[in-house]
Each structure stands twice: as C-alpha cells, then as structure tokens.
Amino acid sequence: MADTLKQVAKTYPTNVVSGRTKDKVKYFVKLENISYAGSHWVDILIPARLRADGKATDLTFKAASRDVYDEMRKVLQSLEEVLNVPKTKLEDNSYSVTVHYREVDDQDHETVQKIAEAVVQRYPSLHVDRGNKVWFSN
C-alpha cells in the first residue's frame, strides 16, 4: 500500500485523510511528499515542498476553533471518568474522541454505547457517529 501511495504521489498531489490526528497519520504512513489531513479534515499539514506559493516552511492550519478543541477535552475527560467497561479504549484525536469497543465483551456493547451517548448529549453541538466497533464524536 505504501509503495502504491508513493507512486501516486509522484504524479498527483496526494493527501491522506483520517479521523486520527495528522501527526499519528504521518507517523503511520511515513511519506514526506504528501499532505496529511487529520481529525476528519480539521487539522491539515502541507509540506513546504508542496506549497504553491513557494515558501520554504510547512503550512499547518486548523479548520476548527479553539473552542471545539477545548470542548473535546471536556468530552474526553468526562468519558475517562465514567467509562469503566473493561477493554474499552478511548482515543484522543484532538478534534474528536473515539471510543473503541472491539475487544469489549459482547454483553457490554450496549452499556458502552449508552455511556458514550449520555456524555455526548451534554454537548449539543456534538454528535455521535458509528464506525466498525467504534463511536466517535465531533
């Protein structure tokens, strides 16, 4: 996969987009000639050599306010305080929080869901999305 991505990036402007932070994605992918968009396009890094304006510095920008970031800190803290179901994992993605329950016993899935949704309901501007045995809010 990395070789394919590397070849595509030689010909086309290439951006890897993930729900994880841009720094985590860059660490996983390990390519320098592409842009990275983390937290679902909220946190973006464009390497200097790809900048159209010719400037020699990397360009990093956030597409969300500091208020959103601060609100996600509160959600993460709340989940850490109340989500005590064994094998549940929380992932801090800066502008979203992911609740991983892939390893949680089947009988506890509904409990994890109820706790996560109860926490997010305290923040009307947020919503819960579902992935493959994950819930995340943003």
Side-chain angles (χ1 to χ4, degrees):
M1 178 68 140
D3 290 336
T4 301
L5 186 58
K6 193 176 199 175
Q7 292 303 316
V8 169
K10 286 180 182 178
T11 307
Y12 302 101
T14 305
N15 192 345
V16 174
V17 181
S18 175
R20 292 190 162 101
T21 66
K22 71 173 176 357
D23 295 331
K24 283 182 190 175
V25 177
K26 187 175 180 185
Y27 174 78
F28 293 147
V29 176
K30 297 181 184 344
L31 291 178
E32 296 299 323
N33 63 332
I34 64 174
S35 298
Y36 295 92
S39 300
H40 305 282
W41 282 105
V42 174
D43 190 13
I44 301 170
L45 169 69
I46 301 171
R49 67 191 138 291
L50 300 180
R51 289 186 60 177
D53 61 11
K55 294 190 177 174
T57 57
D58 289 350
L59 176 64
T60 299
F61 62 94
K62 314 274 188 235
S65 71
R66 180 67 187 196
D67 292 342
V68 173
Y69 179 85
D70 292 343
E71 192 167 57
M72 294 315 302
R73 301 297 62 128
K74 292 176 188 172
V75 169
L76 182 62
Q77 182 179 357
S78 295
L79 285 167
E80 288 171 340
E81 291 170 359
V82 299
L83 192 56
N84 54 8
V85 177
K87 300 181 185 175
T88 303
K89 294 180 182 141
L90 296 175
E91 184 177 4
D92 178 359
N93 294 309
S94 294
Y95 293 91
S96 67
V97 173
T98 305
V99 178
H100 295 271
Y101 67 99
R102 182 177 316 280
E103 297 176 10
V104 171
D105 293 338
D106 288 345
Q107 70 267 16
D108 293 330
H109 288 185
E110 189 175 333
T111 301
V112 173
Q113 178 180 356
K114 286 180 180 178
I115 293 170
E117 289 178 345
V119 168
V120 173
Q121 284 177 357
R122 297 182 213 161
Y123 304 91
S125 64
L126 302 180
H127 70 280
V128 174
D129 287 324
R130 286 160 181 79
N132 188 13
K133 297 217 175 175
V134 298
W135 288 289
F136 59 94
S137 62
N138 57 7

Short mmCIF file of all heavy atoms in Angstrom, two decimals, residues 1-16 29 31-36 49-50:
data_model
loop_
_atom_site.label_atom_id
_atom_site.label_comp_id
_atom_site.label_asym_id
_atom_site.label_seq_id
_atom_site.Cartn_x
_atom_site.Cartn_y
_atom_site.Cartn_z
N MET A 1 0.82 -1.19 0.00
CA MET A 1 0.00 0.00 0.00
C MET A 1 0.86 1.25 0.00
O MET A 1 0.60 2.19 -0.73
CB MET A 1 -0.93 -0.03 1.21
CG MET A 1 -1.79 1.19 1.34
SD MET A 1 -2.99 1.24 0.02
CE MET A 1 -4.38 1.82 0.87
N ALA A 2 1.91 1.25 0.82
CA ALA A 2 2.78 2.42 0.90
C ALA A 2 3.47 2.68 -0.44
O ALA A 2 3.62 3.83 -0.86
CB ALA A 2 3.81 2.26 2.01
N ASP A 3 3.89 1.60 -1.12
CA ASP A 3 4.54 1.76 -2.42
C ASP A 3 3.58 2.36 -3.45
O ASP A 3 3.96 3.22 -4.24
CB ASP A 3 5.07 0.42 -2.93
CG ASP A 3 6.27 -0.07 -2.13
OD1 ASP A 3 6.96 0.77 -1.51
OD2 ASP A 3 6.50 -1.29 -2.11
N THR A 4 2.33 1.91 -3.43
CA THR A 4 1.33 2.46 -4.34
C THR A 4 1.11 3.94 -4.07
O THR A 4 1.08 4.75 -4.99
CB THR A 4 0.00 1.69 -4.20
OG1 THR A 4 0.24 0.31 -4.49
CG2 THR A 4 -1.05 2.24 -5.14
N LEU A 5 0.96 4.28 -2.81
CA LEU A 5 0.76 5.67 -2.43
C LEU A 5 1.95 6.53 -2.85
O LEU A 5 1.79 7.64 -3.36
CB LEU A 5 0.52 5.77 -0.92
CG LEU A 5 0.15 7.14 -0.36
CD1 LEU A 5 -1.13 7.67 -1.01
CD2 LEU A 5 -0.03 7.05 1.14
N LYS A 6 3.13 6.01 -2.67
CA LYS A 6 4.35 6.72 -3.05
C LYS A 6 4.38 6.98 -4.55
O LYS A 6 4.72 8.08 -4.99
CB LYS A 6 5.55 5.88 -2.62
CG LYS A 6 6.86 6.59 -2.65
CD LYS A 6 7.93 5.65 -2.10
CE LYS A 6 9.16 6.39 -1.68
NZ LYS A 6 10.14 5.51 -1.05
N GLN A 7 3.99 5.99 -5.33
CA GLN A 7 3.97 6.15 -6.79
C GLN A 7 2.91 7.16 -7.23
O GLN A 7 3.16 7.99 -8.10
CB GLN A 7 3.72 4.80 -7.48
CG GLN A 7 4.87 3.82 -7.33
CD GLN A 7 6.18 4.37 -7.86
OE1 GLN A 7 6.25 4.97 -8.93
NE2 GLN A 7 7.24 4.19 -7.09
N VAL A 8 1.74 7.10 -6.64
CA VAL A 8 0.67 8.06 -6.96
C VAL A 8 1.12 9.48 -6.63
O VAL A 8 0.92 10.41 -7.42
CB VAL A 8 -0.63 7.71 -6.20
CG1 VAL A 8 -1.65 8.83 -6.30
CG2 VAL A 8 -1.22 6.41 -6.72
N ALA A 9 1.78 9.64 -5.49
CA ALA A 9 2.21 10.97 -5.05
C ALA A 9 3.28 11.57 -5.95
O ALA A 9 3.47 12.80 -5.97
CB ALA A 9 2.71 10.90 -3.61
N LYS A 10 4.00 10.74 -6.71
CA LYS A 10 4.99 11.27 -7.66
C LYS A 10 4.32 11.99 -8.82
O LYS A 10 4.91 12.88 -9.43
CB LYS A 10 5.87 10.14 -8.19
CG LYS A 10 6.87 9.63 -7.19
CD LYS A 10 7.70 8.52 -7.81
CE LYS A 10 8.69 7.97 -6.81
NZ LYS A 10 9.48 6.85 -7.38
N THR A 11 3.10 11.60 -9.14
CA THR A 11 2.40 12.14 -10.31
C THR A 11 1.29 13.12 -9.95
O THR A 11 1.06 14.10 -10.65
CB THR A 11 1.79 10.99 -11.14
OG1 THR A 11 2.82 10.04 -11.43
CG2 THR A 11 1.18 11.49 -12.42
N TYR A 12 0.61 12.87 -8.83
CA TYR A 12 -0.56 13.66 -8.45
C TYR A 12 -0.40 14.25 -7.05
O TYR A 12 0.17 13.59 -6.18
CB TYR A 12 -1.83 12.78 -8.46
CG TYR A 12 -2.09 12.13 -9.78
CD1 TYR A 12 -1.77 10.78 -9.98
CD2 TYR A 12 -2.65 12.84 -10.84
CE1 TYR A 12 -2.00 10.17 -11.20
CE2 TYR A 12 -2.90 12.22 -12.06
CZ TYR A 12 -2.57 10.90 -12.24
OH TYR A 12 -2.80 10.30 -13.43
N PRO A 13 -0.95 15.44 -6.84
CA PRO A 13 -0.99 15.95 -5.46
C PRO A 13 -1.78 14.95 -4.61
O PRO A 13 -2.87 14.54 -4.99
CB PRO A 13 -1.73 17.28 -5.58
CG PRO A 13 -1.65 17.65 -7.02
CD PRO A 13 -1.57 16.36 -7.78
N THR A 14 -1.22 14.55 -3.51
CA THR A 14 -1.81 13.47 -2.72
C THR A 14 -1.98 13.90 -1.27
O THR A 14 -1.09 14.53 -0.70
CB THR A 14 -0.92 12.21 -2.78
OG1 THR A 14 -0.72 11.87 -4.16
CG2 THR A 14 -1.54 11.05 -2.06
N ASN A 15 -3.13 13.56 -0.72
CA ASN A 15 -3.44 13.91 0.66
C ASN A 15 -4.04 12.68 1.33
O ASN A 15 -4.95 12.08 0.79
CB ASN A 15 -4.44 15.07 0.69
CG ASN A 15 -4.60 15.67 2.05
OD1 ASN A 15 -4.20 15.09 3.05
ND2 ASN A 15 -5.21 16.82 2.10
N VAL A 16 -3.53 12.33 2.50
CA VAL A 16 -4.10 11.24 3.28
C VAL A 16 -5.01 11.88 4.33
O VAL A 16 -4.60 12.77 5.06
CB VAL A 16 -3.00 10.40 3.96
CG1 VAL A 16 -3.61 9.38 4.90
CG2 VAL A 16 -2.15 9.72 2.91
N VAL A 29 2.10 6.51 8.01
CA VAL A 29 2.33 6.48 6.57
C VAL A 29 3.81 6.68 6.21
O VAL A 29 4.33 6.05 5.30
CB VAL A 29 1.45 7.53 5.86
CG1 VAL A 29 1.74 7.59 4.37
CG2 VAL A 29 -0.03 7.22 6.10
N LEU A 31 5.53 9.08 4.69
CA LEU A 31 5.91 9.66 3.41
C LEU A 31 6.03 11.16 3.56
O LEU A 31 5.18 11.80 4.21
CB LEU A 31 4.89 9.33 2.32
CG LEU A 31 4.83 7.87 1.88
CD1 LEU A 31 3.73 7.68 0.83
CD2 LEU A 31 6.17 7.40 1.33
N GLU A 32 7.04 11.74 2.96
CA GLU A 32 7.28 13.18 3.10
C GLU A 32 6.71 14.01 1.96
O GLU A 32 6.61 15.21 2.06
CB GLU A 32 8.79 13.43 3.22
CG GLU A 32 9.42 12.83 4.46
CD GLU A 32 8.83 13.39 5.76
OE1 GLU A 32 8.53 14.60 5.82
OE2 GLU A 32 8.67 12.61 6.71
N ASN A 33 6.35 13.38 0.85
CA ASN A 33 5.92 14.15 -0.32
C ASN A 33 4.41 14.24 -0.47
O ASN A 33 3.90 14.43 -1.57
CB ASN A 33 6.54 13.56 -1.58
CG ASN A 33 6.07 12.13 -1.84
OD1 ASN A 33 5.74 11.41 -0.92
ND2 ASN A 33 6.06 11.74 -3.10
N ILE A 34 3.68 14.09 0.64
CA ILE A 34 2.23 14.20 0.60
C ILE A 34 1.74 15.10 1.73
O ILE A 34 2.48 15.39 2.67
CB ILE A 34 1.54 12.82 0.70
CG1 ILE A 34 1.83 12.15 2.04
CG2 ILE A 34 1.97 11.92 -0.46
CD1 ILE A 34 1.07 10.86 2.25
N SER A 35 0.50 15.52 1.61
CA SER A 35 -0.14 16.30 2.68
C SER A 35 -0.94 15.36 3.56
O SER A 35 -1.37 14.29 3.13
CB SER A 35 -1.07 17.35 2.07
OG SER A 35 -0.35 18.25 1.29
N TYR A 36 -1.15 15.79 4.79
CA TYR A 36 -1.90 14.99 5.75
C TYR A 36 -3.03 15.82 6.32
O TYR A 36 -2.82 16.97 6.71
CB TYR A 36 -0.99 14.54 6.90
CG TYR A 36 0.10 13.59 6.46
CD1 TYR A 36 1.35 14.06 6.08
CD2 TYR A 36 -0.14 12.22 6.42
CE1 TYR A 36 2.34 13.19 5.67
CE2 TYR A 36 0.85 11.35 6.00
CZ TYR A 36 2.09 11.83 5.63
OH TYR A 36 3.06 10.97 5.22
N ARG A 49 7.56 21.73 0.43
CA ARG A 49 7.85 21.47 -0.98
C ARG A 49 6.59 21.35 -1.83
O ARG A 49 6.67 21.36 -3.05
CB ARG A 49 8.75 20.25 -1.13
CG ARG A 49 8.11 18.95 -0.74
CD ARG A 49 9.16 17.86 -0.67
NE ARG A 49 9.04 16.97 0.45
CZ ARG A 49 9.24 17.25 1.72
NH1 ARG A 49 9.56 18.46 2.08
NH2 ARG A 49 9.11 16.35 2.66
N LEU A 50 5.43 21.21 -1.20
CA LEU A 50 4.18 21.10 -1.95
C LEU A 50 3.41 22.41 -2.00
O LEU A 50 2.38 22.49 -2.65
CB LEU A 50 3.29 20.01 -1.34
CG LEU A 50 3.88 18.60 -1.31
CD1 LEU A 50 2.90 17.64 -0.68
CD2 LEU A 50 4.24 18.15 -2.71
#
